[in-house]
Structure formats: structure tokens, C-alpha cells
Amino acid sequence: MVVCVDSRFFFFNFWKIIQKNSNFIFFFFFLINAIITVSRSTEDSSELFCTSSHGCAISRDKLHSNKDTVFFRDGVRRIDFVLSYVDDKDGEKKQERRREFEANLEKAGLELETEDKSDSKDQKTYFLKIHAPWDVLATYADVLKIKVPFKESDIPHGQDVPLEWLSHPFRLPDHVMHPQPDYFTYPFDKTKTDFFLINLLLMNGDVFYILARCPYYKEGRKDRGKTGIKRLLSNGTYTAAFPLHDCRYWKKARNAECESERYNLYEHWARFLCFYKEQPLNLIRKYYGEKIGIYFAWLGFYTEMLFFAAVMGLICFTYGVLSYDDNISSQEICHPKIGGRIVMCPLCDKKCPFWKLNSTCLSSWQSHLFDNEGTVFFAIFMGIWVTLFLEFWKRRQARLEYEWDLVDFEEEQQQLQIRPEFEIRCTNRRLNKITKEMEPYLPVTSKCARFCLSAATVIFWISLIVACIIGVIAYRLAVYAAFASIIKDPMRKIQLVGRFITPQLATSVTASCINFVIIMILNFFYERVAIWITDLEIPKTHLEYENRLTMKMFLFQFVNYYSSCFYVAFFKGKFVGYPGDYSYMFGNWSNLRNEECDPGGCLIELTTQLVIVMTGKQLCGNIQEALLPLIRNWWSGRRGRHNPENHYSRWEQDHVLQNFSQLGLFYEYLEMVVQFGFITLFVASFPLAPLLALFNNILEIRVDAWKFTTQFKRPMASKARNIGAWQEILNAVAILSVVTNAFIMAFTSDMIPRMVYLYAYSKESSMRGYVNNSLSIYDISQIPERNMPEDNWFDNATSTCRYRDYRYPPGHQREYTHTMQFWHILAAKMAFIIIMEHVVFVVKFFVAWMIPDVPSDVKARIKRERYLIQEYLHNYEVEQLKLQLSASFITEPQSEMTLTPDKHEVLSECL
């Protein structure tokens, strides 16, 4: 069949070449390439390739000619795990470790087969193939109480949905969405093997469980440090340990009856042209495990919910664009007879001249795009959206827990998945009051010492971030004077650096870029420090390890990424002072005067900061995830598709792929949660943030899928009931976002001062005169020498300058003190914060109360399934007892039979 397909392809292209009158040389090379392709296909066409189960068989006669298989040389035993190693200078010690380790693996019941280095492509790598027989799988399934199917589920799943045909373009084929039927499951019991569907007992996780706890010391010597494959990987005894992919990602398995799950994942999930399609979550879970499946389920749901936030943000931005020409404040600033006649006080000492208000015409228009009446509505909407997102995700997560059989998993994970590192490094033992067995533990004194060291390290690095932020602020103060000094002529109509960039904007952009670089550098070092101090704490379980690392990393990332935005939003321009009494960053002795906001408002600077940091992080992340693997492949010379199957074995193909580390998903979650913070904490300053996040996430899903299917070794499947500590972090960010957005609208935006002027001080009930009302007056002759420009210029007809504040003018009995309007505005800001927070929180809690965490149909199914499990188990026990009684009844003597008539019927009746 393969030959026929390739032949048709050859003749079709041959005819196209003749039609196009291609030159003879091109035709000749094409002919040679086609002949080689057909010959390779002919060699492999008779071989059957199958990886879906232990029971699949392949052609043994031609097994030697095809290495692209997941079976031992006998063609029957499936390869469950592969270890690789090379001979090097320290070979004797490593050989001894390998001998002891492999001997202990065989004692544990595993079957091994070694591929010599002469058979590998690089002629130096050995491959140890591991197979777990059924008895070993059953034993460890019994020990770990792994749930195994015993009957196909008869509970109906789908319900007819109105207008379901509208979703057909977004659907995937049914065999991809539902790769296997739904089953009733029950913890495995080796004594009841006939109760379970044994052919579905596929648990490669058991193999890694054995590898992680198998010692490599000699018999009779107890050295607990010499235990587990992780230790052997770290000391170089083995170079890699991984399960095999089931096939090549661009080519199906040869046997049509066998599954090609990797190929299906690549074709229907990892390709970017499938971006509008649903994700095959059940197939992802089946191939990679529940932990990776729950990540992609969460990422997909988050992206779907972002669509609604992006639409609303786009509407808000569109409103700002459409009301562009109706912005009276910007019209007054740009008007030559209003803004052109207002002389503003210098924004820095010595280097900054007096300037005209109309020089900020462009920035005032830009600020209106984001600082308008629609922004308030959008901030309230996002406070409600984040609640809906979290509540609906809980429901989606509960449904997945049921469908993926994870309802009772958390207790098992806590009790059974103890980290091998904890068992090895904790030499103290104590009696477990529940199991009555001796178990390792960490003394309280050691825990306290390790915790104190860990906390001190985290505090030190957070302090380092704060120091860097202070350094960036000092840079902003110093460089602004440098930008301002470029232009000395105060009579220019528009004061510019370049053509459209004001000194404030140039300072903000360069400082944001420098801050972003510092963020990335600190991230690079802190990631390693966080892993080191978490290892130092020796957490007991994998879940505890991940939760501790999660809290450390997010706390650091929170301060690292958001501190600059918090500074611009809540501190910049708030402690400036006024001409004659300016505030300085390090006291009056320094020349670093606290910076003022852009004349267009502080919100536009917060928008600039948010856009640079958020988009910069997303671009760097996508480049790192997508381009670096391609560059690495090109540099290493790996050309997977050009290696013939009969010369390049399946384990060699997977060996050259990248390792998927235990913390691989951690960084994926961290990236998305940091993005979640950007689109919720500061979304009032940039309504288009959800739209940018939506585009990024559509790409992120396909990039991650592409990495998993093409670039990574197949990760060890592991279970996870939920997204772990990230759920609590998202809840905390959601609550904090309500507060930050309320403060942004009150103190960073100019909305409240405008509203107070409109309803309390405007004589025409319009915004006309607002610009003049919002600027205070200062007598130029009273400006101290240290604050005056070097070019001591001011218009002879102008004896005063203006500045942003609400203070009494010179000559007033309370000159330069705050006016009553200032206190009215401050009271309005506080009232707005209280009202907005209470309204949003009330709606949030009401919505959370209205939406149950677990859907009612899922609750009903869980109860139904538990009832059916008990019924089937009871019937099984009854049948087994009947068989035992029948056997004993047949073997009893005749005399006893007369003494106990209908014995088994009576007992069966009682049962």
C-alpha cells in the first residue's frame, strides 16, 4: 500500500514537471529522489508497527531490518522505559553502579535488553530497554492502589445542545476527541484479577516508581544515598531516562489497527492552522497524563474566557477613539490662545526651561484613548469577569476530575507519592501512628533552620529587586534633565525630542526598557536560587515541593514584574511638592527632584510601562519557546525526517529530543499567571491588554503543543487533580485587582477631578475651563535659584508660571496651601474607591454563591457511579463465594451432605 501511494505521488509530480518544461537537471535529481523514496518504502512496507498496548504484535521475520519499533527483539515484549549511557574516563565506577542497579532491577521483576553502542548512530551510546511484566505491574498497582477499569460505563454523557451545528467547524473527529470509552474504575486488588479488565492495565508510571527507589549498592551494604535513577542521572552514570513515543509525529504507525496517538496529536492539535479548533483533552490526558492534560484544559479555558474580556476592552478603546474629537480638555490644551499662552513651571532643576502647555497636545490626545468614561465601566466589568472565570473554571475542573477519575486522588498523592529525595536524605525514623510502620521524618529543629535560611534568601532577593527599582527611578530623574536640556529654546511651539517624543515619553520608554532587561536578568538568577532553597527544605511529597516552589517564585515574580507598574500608578507624581518647596528623592542635599507625571496625565505613562513589560515578556517567551528549539536542532544537526526508519531506532530518535523537566509545567503556569496579573491588576490603564493576551495565548497553546509532540521526550505520565497552588494565587490576584483598579481610577486617572469640576465647579455644566481650573499659579520671582533654569528666561509680560495642583495663588492670605477643591476631590476619590470596591465585591461574592463549584449533573453521576461500583463489587463477591461453596460442596463426603442440606443456598440467600 505504501509503495502504491508513493508511486502515485511520483507519477503525479512527474507529469507536472513535464507540463512545466522543467530543465533536465532538475528532473534528473527529482527522479533519483523519488526512486530512493519508493525503495525505502518498499523495504519497510511489510513491517507492522504498533505501540498501543502490550498485546500488539509485529512481524518478527523483518524485525531486524526495522529499528523504529517500541518492542524488544522478540517482537512481543513492549519497551516501557529506556536508559542510555556512554563509556567515559570514570567508566569503572559507573559500570559498577550500573551492574548493581540493573541486577536489582531484575530482582524487582523487570526485564532488560541492551543495545550495543555499535548499533547506535553515534557509535558511542548504549541503550538499556526495560519491560515490566504483568505480574510487576499488578503488584505495584496493588501497592499504590491505582484505579483500574472493571466495566464500561453505561452512564450517558452528551446532551443535545440547541444550534449544535454552529460548533461543527470547531470540532475534531470523534476518534481524536474520545480515544477510548469511559469505564467504571476501582482500586486494583491482585486477589481479584478476574474482576478487572486486565488488558487495560497500562501503568508505565509504575516503572518509574521502581526506578526511582531501586538501590545501586551491593547486597549486604546499606547506603541509602545510593538509591534511585535520579541520583544516577545526576552523577552521570546514565545520560537519560525516558519512555518512548509511540511513533514519529509526522507519520502514522504502520499497523492500521494500532493507535498513532503522537501523530494524531500533531495533526489535530500541534499545528498552528488548528488554532480555531477545540483541544483533544482526552487524548492529551491519555498520552501525557492528567497533570499535563489539566494544564492545557486550564490554558484553553482561560483563552476562551479572554475572548469576552478582549471584546469588551476593544469596545472601550473604540469609544475612546470615537470620542476623540469631543475631548474638550485636549482641545483647550492644543488651542494656541489657551494652551499656547499658558507658561508652565520647569519640570526639573537647572536643565529644564519654562515651557508652553500646548507642547503636550499629542500626549493629551493619546491619554484620552485610555482615560475616558468607558474605562470605569471596563474596570468594573473586569472585576466581575475575573470572578466568573474562576467560578466557571472550578466547575470545569470538577467535571474533568470526574471524567478523568480523579475525584479521590488527592489523599493518595499525599500518602503514596513521597519524594525519593526525602526518603534518602531523612535518616531519622519514627512510627507512623496510622500505618504503625517506621517512616522517615525531618526533625523540628532542622525544619526551622532550613525555613529561616529560605526566608532570609527570599527577603534578600526581594530587597535586591527594590534596590534595582530605586536605581531605575534615579535613572528616570537624571535622564529627564538630560533629555530636557537638548532643547534650549523655550519659544518653540512644541517642545520635542525627535518629532513626536516629549522628554517625559522618552524617559518613560527608556526606563521601561531598562527595567525590563533588569527583570529578565534577575529572573534568570532567582530561578536557580529558588530551586536550590526549595531542595534545601526537603519537602516530603511532590505536591508539597511544587507548592513551596510556586509560592517562592510567584512572590518574587510579583515584586519583579509589577513593582515598576505600582510605582508609576501610585507613587509617581504624588509627592512632588510645588515650586519653591519641591521634594527630592534622597533629601534636599541631592539634585534628584521627584518626577512629575506626563502633562497628559500619569495614566498614559502607566500604559506605556504596562505595554513594554507585558509585550516584551510575551515576545521573549515565544521566541525562547519557538525559535530556540529550532536553532538548537539546526546546531546539533538533527534532521528527524531525513533519517530512514530501518537505520535510526525509535529510542535514538527520542534520545536526541529535549528533556521535559519535572518543573516544565511550573514555568508554563508561571508565565500565564504573571500575564493574568497584568490583565487584571492594571487593566484600567490599558483596555487592550486582554486582546494582546488573547493573541498570545492562541499562539501559546499551539507552541506548547508543538514542543510536546516534536521537541520533547515523552514525559512520565503523572496525575494531578487540579492546578494546585496556582488556584489560590489566582484568587488572591483577583481580589487584589479590584483594589488596584479602584485606586488607579481614583488616583492615577484624571476622571475624578473632571467629574468634580463638571458637577460642582463648572458654571456651564461642561468641561470648558477645566484645564485652567486644574493648574495653580506661582510667582516666578519667588522660585529659588537652585530651581531656576540655567538660561534664566521668562517672558517680560509673564510674571507667573503654572503647575498641576490645587493651591491658592500668590498674594492670597493662604497662598500655596491646598484649596477647598483639593479636599473635595480627595473626598470624592476615597468615596469612589469605597463604592467601587463594595459594589464589585458584592457582585463577586453573589456570583460565587450563585454558581456551585461542582455541576449538579456531575454530583449525580459521582453518586450513581459509587452506587454501581458497590453493587457490582457485591455481586462479584457473591459469585465468588458461590463458586467456593459449590466447590466445597462437591468435595464433601456424602454423610456430611445429608447433615447440611442446601448449605450454599442458605448462605447465598443471607448474602
Side-chain angles (χ1 to χ4, degrees):
M1 180 63 68
V2 177
V3 177
C4 294
V5 173
D6 286 338
S7 300
R8 290 196 299 268
F9 175 79
F10 163 70
F11 286 115
F12 175 76
N13 285 277
F14 172 75
W15 177 248
K16 288 180 65 178
I17 291 173
I18 293 177
Q19 284 183 322
K20 293 183 179 180
N21 297 317
S22 300
N23 60 60
F24 176 76
I25 296 176
F26 178 81
F27 169 72
F28 176 76
F29 281 108
F30 171 79
L31 180 63
I32 296 298
N33 182 64
I35 292 173
I36 293 173
T37 303
V38 172
S39 64
R40 285 177 179 171
S41 302
T42 305
E43 290 177 4
D44 301 336
S45 60
S46 60
E47 297 168 10
L48 297 177
F49 172 54
C50 172
T51 59
S52 61
S53 68
H54 283 261
C56 289
I58 59 175
S59 176
R60 302 186 191 182
D61 296 334
K62 301 214 172 180
L63 182 63
H64 65 277
S65 64
N66 179 23
K67 294 184 178 181
D68 192 14
T69 177
V70 292
F71 290 89
F72 276 22
R73 296 189 190 98
D74 59 13
V76 176
R77 293 174 295 170
R78 184 173 182 237
I79 302 171
D80 294 311
F81 223 84
V82 174
L83 306 180
S84 65
Y85 60 91
V86 295
D87 289 331
D88 50 23
K89 297 178 181 179
D90 194 20
E92 294 183 1
K93 292 183 179 180
K94 293 179 180 178
Q95 284 179 12
E96 183 179 356
R97 293 177 195 146
R98 284 193 291 266
R99 278 196 301 269
E100 297 298 331
F101 185 69
E102 291 168 15
N104 290 328
L105 288 179
E106 290 179 333
K107 290 178 182 177
L110 299 181
E111 298 175 2
L112 311 179
E113 186 177 85
T114 304
E115 292 288 333
D116 192 75
K117 65 179 181 180
S118 60
D119 295 329
S120 63
K121 188 177 181 181
D122 60 6
Q123 298 291 306
K124 61 181 181 181
T125 304
Y126 294 87
F127 292 95
L128 178 67
K129 299 176 288 185
I130 301 173
H131 168 74
W134 183 88
D135 286 341
V136 175
L137 289 177
T139 299
Y140 280 91
D142 193 2
V143 171
L144 299 175
K145 299 301 178 186
I146 293 176
K147 291 185 177 181
V148 178
F150 68 88
K151 186 183 184 300
E152 189 170 340
S153 174
D154 57 2
I155 300 178
H157 276 266
Q159 297 180 353
D160 293 335
V161 179
L163 302 177
E164 186 180 2
W165 59 272
L166 292 175
S167 64
H168 285 173
F170 309 101
R171 298 288 183 186
L172 290 175
D174 189 65
H175 75 279
V176 176
M177 288 301 299
H178 305 286
Q180 63 184 13
D182 190 19
Y183 294 94
F184 293 138
T185 61
Y186 188 74
F188 186 73
D189 187 345
K190 198 174 180 181
T191 62
K192 303 174 182 177
T193 53
D194 54 341
F195 177 70
F196 299 94
L197 302 177
I198 302 301
N199 60 324
L200 295 172
L201 185 62
L202 293 177
M203 290 161 287
N204 292 342
D206 295 350
V207 180
F208 187 76
Y209 183 89
I210 300 171
L211 294 175
R213 286 159 177 80
C214 183
Y216 56 91
Y217 49 77
K218 292 183 178 180
E219 187 175 358
R221 296 173 56 187
K222 297 295 184 182
D223 186 354
R224 297 196 60 84
K226 296 183 176 181
T227 303
I229 186 62
K230 289 186 178 180
R231 190 74 178 267
L232 292 171
L233 290 171
S234 63
N235 60 31
T237 303
Y238 291 100
T239 56
F242 54 92
L244 291 178
H245 282 293
D246 62 355
C247 65
R248 298 188 172 199
Y249 67 84
W250 68 89
K251 188 175 183 180
K252 276 189 174 183
R254 292 180 173 276
N255 191 344
E257 296 181 0
C258 300
E259 300 172 3
S260 300
E261 294 174 349
R262 187 188 186 193
Y263 171 80
N264 286 332
L265 286 170
Y266 178 74
E267 284 293 315
H268 300 285
W269 179 50
R271 301 176 69 178
F272 182 74
L273 294 180
C274 301
F275 72 92
Y276 63 94
K277 297 278 189 179
E278 61 183 337
Q279 296 188 88
L281 294 178
N282 290 321
L283 184 58
I284 297 170
R285 173 246 182 172
K286 183 172 181 286
Y287 192 72
Y288 292 113
E290 287 82 358
K291 191 172 185 179
I292 292 176
I294 204 76
Y295 163 72
F296 281 104
W298 176 81
L299 180 57
F301 184 80
Y302 171 45
T303 304
E304 292 172 8
M305 291 295 292
L306 271 178
F307 173 79
F308 302 101
V311 170
M312 195 59 62
L314 187 61
I315 293 173
C316 178
F317 179 77
T318 303
Y319 171 79
V321 174
L322 295 178
S323 60
Y324 195 78
D325 295 331
D326 299 329
N327 184 14
I328 298 176
S329 298
S330 295
Q331 293 176 0
E332 291 184 346
I333 291 175
C334 298
H335 200 285
K337 294 184 178 180
I338 302 176
R341 294 181 178 179
I342 297 177
V343 177
M344 302 295 293
C345 299
L347 294 174
C348 64
D349 296 340
K350 297 296 183 181
K351 301 294 183 180
C352 298
F354 294 93
W355 52 284
K356 296 293 183 66
L357 181 61
N358 64 350
S359 65
T360 64
C361 177
L362 183 61
S363 63
S364 68
W365 286 113
Q366 293 170 345
S367 179
H368 175 73
L369 295 176
F370 306 104
D371 189 4
N372 53 67
E373 294 77 7
T375 308
V376 182
F377 168 77
F378 185 65
I380 297 174
F381 168 82
M382 287 301 295
I384 300 172
W385 173 88
V386 73
T387 303
L388 292 173
F389 163 64
L390 294 175
E391 293 302 318
F392 282 130
W393 164 246
K394 290 178 184 177
R395 292 170 61 84
R396 175 67 171 143
Q397 188 171 255
R399 192 176 296 278
L400 289 175
E401 285 180 17
Y402 166 73
E403 293 176 356
W404 292 357
D405 204 15
L406 298 169
V407 175
D408 302 319
F409 171 70
E410 190 166 354
E411 293 78 11
E412 300 171 9
Q413 173 149 351
Q414 289 287 349
Q415 296 174 6
L416 300 174
Q417 294 196 359
I418 297 177
R419 299 174 64 236
E421 294 85 349
F422 182 84
E423 296 177 333
I424 294 169
R425 297 176 64 181
C426 294
T427 57
N428 298 298
R429 294 289 187 272
R430 67 180 176 186
L431 184 67
N432 189 311
K433 296 180 180 180
I434 299 174
T435 63
K436 299 300 181 181
E437 295 179 357
M438 299 300 292
E439 65 176 10
Y441 82 101
L442 197 63
V444 176
T445 54
S446 179
K447 276 186 179 179
C448 292
R450 294 171 187 273
F451 176 79
C452 291
L453 179 59
S454 175
T457 306
V458 173
I459 292 173
F460 167 77
W461 278 88
I462 291 178
S463 302
L464 185 61
I465 297 174
V466 174
C468 291
I469 294 299
I470 293 174
V472 172
I473 294 172
Y475 163 83
R476 299 172 72 110
L477 301 181
V479 81
Y480 178 80
F483 278 122
S485 64
I486 294 175
I487 300 175
K488 298 292 185 180
D489 185 3
M491 294 302 294
R492 294 190 179 186
K493 294 182 179 180
I494 301 178
Q495 182 181 0
L496 292 174
V497 175
R499 186 175 180 184
F500 297 106
I501 303 177
T502 62
Q504 294 90 343
L505 183 59
T507 302
S508 180
V509 170
T510 55
S512 299
C513 293
I514 292 173
N515 183 62
F516 176 72
V517 173
I518 293 174
I519 287 172
M520 301 307 292
I521 293 173
L522 291 176
N523 273 347
F524 176 80
F525 289 105
Y526 183 76
E527 285 178 2
R528 289 149 180 80
V529 173
I531 294 173
W532 174 72
I533 59 178
T534 306
D535 289 337
L536 190 67
E537 295 174 6
I538 320 180
K540 184 176 182 179
T541 64
H542 294 288
L543 182 63
E544 186 180 351
Y545 181 91
E546 291 182 3
N547 288 345
R548 290 190 186 184
L549 182 62
T550 297
M551 297 308 297
K552 292 183 183 66
M553 282 297 296
F554 182 76
L555 179 62
F556 176 84
Q557 298 277 16
F558 184 90
V559 178
N560 197 19
Y561 278 105
Y562 305 142
S563 55
S564 58
C565 292
F566 273 102
Y567 163 74
V568 175
F570 306 122
F571 295 96
K572 183 179 179 182
K574 308 299 186 294
F575 310 99
V576 176
Y578 60 94
D581 189 20
Y582 285 117
S583 300
Y584 291 82
M585 184 175 181
F586 300 111
N588 291 330
W589 58 271
S590 69
N591 294 322
L592 298 177
R593 196 173 94 189
N594 287 348
E595 62 178 333
E596 301 182 37
C597 290
D598 188 283
C602 288
L603 195 70
I604 189 64
E605 292 197 44
L606 178 58
T607 303
T608 303
Q609 179 77 24
L610 181 63
V611 169
I612 291 176
V613 177
M614 178 180 172
T615 57
K617 183 184 184 302
Q618 292 182 350
L619 286 175
C620 288
N622 289 329
I623 291 173
Q624 183 178 359
E625 291 184 7
L627 295 183
L628 290 184
L630 295 176
I631 296 173
R632 188 182 296 110
N633 294 344
W634 174 82
W635 183 260
S636 62
R638 176 154 61 91
R639 303 289 186 270
R641 297 199 183 199
H642 299 289
N643 290 296
E645 297 175 13
N646 57 338
H647 295 140
Y648 198 34
S649 64
R650 161 72 19 226
W651 42 91
E652 287 182 278
Q653 295 174 43
D654 287 3
H655 180 257
V656 296
L657 298 176
Q658 301 175 55
N659 288 315
F660 183 76
S661 68
Q662 182 182 353
L663 299 176
L665 280 184
F666 168 80
Y667 294 111
E668 302 293 345
Y669 274 118
L670 183 63
E671 179 184 0
M672 289 296 102
V673 172
V674 169
Q675 180 203 85
F676 180 80
F678 280 125
I679 69 165
T680 53
L681 295 175
F682 309 103
V683 73
S685 67
F686 187 46
L688 294 181
L691 184 63
L692 295 181
L694 175 64
F695 290 148
N696 176 81
N697 288 7
I698 291 174
L699 180 63
E700 179 76 19
I701 291 175
R702 304 305 160 179
V703 169
D704 287 347
W706 172 78
K707 287 192 307 180
F708 273 98
T709 53
T710 68
Q711 302 300 307
F712 285 141
K713 294 181 177 70
R714 186 174 181 176
M716 196 70 252
S718 57
K719 290 181 178 291
R721 184 180 178 182
N722 48 45
I723 62 176
W726 298 111
Q727 182 75 42
E728 299 305 320
I729 290 175
L730 292 174
N731 289 331
V733 171
I735 294 173
L736 181 61
S737 67
V738 178
V739 179
T740 55
N741 283 300
F743 273 84
I744 287 173
M745 295 309 303
F747 288 98
T748 310
S749 168
D750 284 340
M751 186 203 68
I752 300 298
R754 290 199 298 263
M755 294 298 101
V756 170
Y757 175 80
L758 178 64
Y759 295 109
Y761 290 90
S762 176
K763 298 179 181 179
E764 304 176 1
S765 296
S766 70
M767 292 302 296
R768 296 194 179 278
Y770 168 74
V771 172
N772 186 63
N773 176 267
S774 63
L775 298 175
S776 299
I777 303 174
Y778 196 84
D779 189 348
I780 294 179
S781 62
Q782 297 179 6
I783 297 179
E785 182 64 24
R786 66 175 300 184
N787 301 137
M788 286 294 289
E790 291 178 345
D791 295 341
N792 192 8
W793 171 93
F794 58 90
D795 193 343
N796 292 331
T798 303
S799 59
T800 61
C801 63
R802 311 293 291 272
Y803 60 98
R804 287 173 59 93
D805 208 342
Y806 293 91
R807 295 179 182 270
Y808 289 107
H812 193 277
Q813 60 180 357
R814 300 177 60 189
E815 66 176 5
Y816 306 138
T817 60
H818 285 121
T819 64
M820 187 56 65
Q821 185 176 354
F822 171 84
W823 300 109
H824 288 166
I825 292 174
L826 182 61
K829 289 179 177 180
M830 300 306 297
F832 174 82
I833 291 173
I834 294 173
I835 293 173
M836 179 178 172
E837 285 183 356
H838 281 71
V839 168
V840 175
F841 278 132
V842 167
V843 174
K844 280 171 64 69
F845 292 128
F846 178 74
V847 169
W849 175 76
M850 285 288 293
I851 302 175
D853 292 346
V854 181
S856 57
D857 64 316
V858 172
K859 288 182 181 179
R861 288 183 179 185
I862 292 174
K863 293 178 181 178
R864 170 69 175 165
E865 182 169 337
R866 286 176 176 170
Y867 167 76
L868 291 176
I869 288 173
Q870 294 299 323
E871 183 181 10
Y872 283 121
L873 191 62
H874 171 76
N875 292 337
Y876 170 80
E877 295 287 356
V878 170
E879 291 299 324
Q880 290 298 109
L881 187 55
K882 283 182 179 180
L883 292 174
Q884 292 176 7
L885 292 174
S886 298
S888 63
F889 179 76
I890 293 172
T891 58
E892 283 180 353
Q894 184 67 27
S895 59
E896 292 187 17
M897 291 176 61
T898 59
L899 294 175
T900 56
D902 300 325
K903 176 181 177 181
H904 91 273
E905 291 184 8
V906 173
L907 290 175
S908 298
E909 192 84 40
C910 294
L911 289 173

